[in-house]
């Protein structure tokens, strides 16, 4: 796994962190402004990012994705995320 995230991966992570009761892949795609298929392509990197930090993203067919995390830890992740290196895809 790369230690650098794309801006899209960061946005997906942010959507999951901000969701308090779960978020579907479709809702993530609308928030990020990409197709559901694009979210599916990026989601394994997102899961690994959370797992590396000791958090679990639960997946429910009816409720979507839910991050198992305390409010305190959410704040810590929200502080960490902007500092995380980002891939630049510009040519």
């Amino acid at each position: 796994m790369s230690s650098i995230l794309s801006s899209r991966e960061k946005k997906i992570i942010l959507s999951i962190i901000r969701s308090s009761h779960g978020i579907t892949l479709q809702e993530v795609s609308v928030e990020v402004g990409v197709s559901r298929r694009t979210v599916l392509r990026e989601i394994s990197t997102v899961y690994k990012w959370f797992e590396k930090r000791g958090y679990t993203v639960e997946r429910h067919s009816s409720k979507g994705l839910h991050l198992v995390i305390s409010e305190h830890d959410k704040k810590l992740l929200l502080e960490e995320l902007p500092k995380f290196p980002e891939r630049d895809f510009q040519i």
Side-chain angles (χ1 to χ4, degrees):
M1 176 183 73
S2 173
S3 60
I4 300 175
L5 295 170
S6 70
S7 61
R8 185 169 38 226
E9 290 163 342
K10 279 184 162 183
K11 289 176 185 177
I12 293 169
I13 289 168
L14 189 58
S15 292
I16 294 170
I17 292 171
R18 287 183 175 163
S19 170
S20 57
H21 299 297
I23 187 166
T24 66
L25 292 177
Q26 184 62 39
E27 291 168 331
V28 171
S29 73
V30 169
E31 275 191 33
V32 176
V34 297
S35 70
R36 184 177 180 277
R37 185 174 179 176
T38 298
V39 173
L40 284 171
R41 274 196 304 266
E42 308 282 353
I43 203 72
S44 67
T45 301
V46 169
Y47 291 151
K48 289 175 187 174
W49 188 89
F50 282 114
E51 288 170 7
K52 185 176 179 183
R53 284 152 184 77
Y55 302 107
T56 302
V57 178
E58 294 180 343
R59 300 159 221 174
H60 302 280
S61 59
S62 60
K63 299 177 186 175
L65 308 173
H66 179 260
L67 181 61
V68 180
I69 190 170
S70 69
E71 286 300 315
H72 172 73
D73 286 351
K74 270 189 182 186
K75 289 178 186 176
L76 294 176
L77 285 182
L78 289 171
E79 290 172 7
E80 176 187 0
L81 192 58
K83 299 173 190 169
F84 207 81
E86 190 172 297
R87 279 192 299 257
D88 184 5
F89 289 107
Q90 295 178 351
I91 298 175

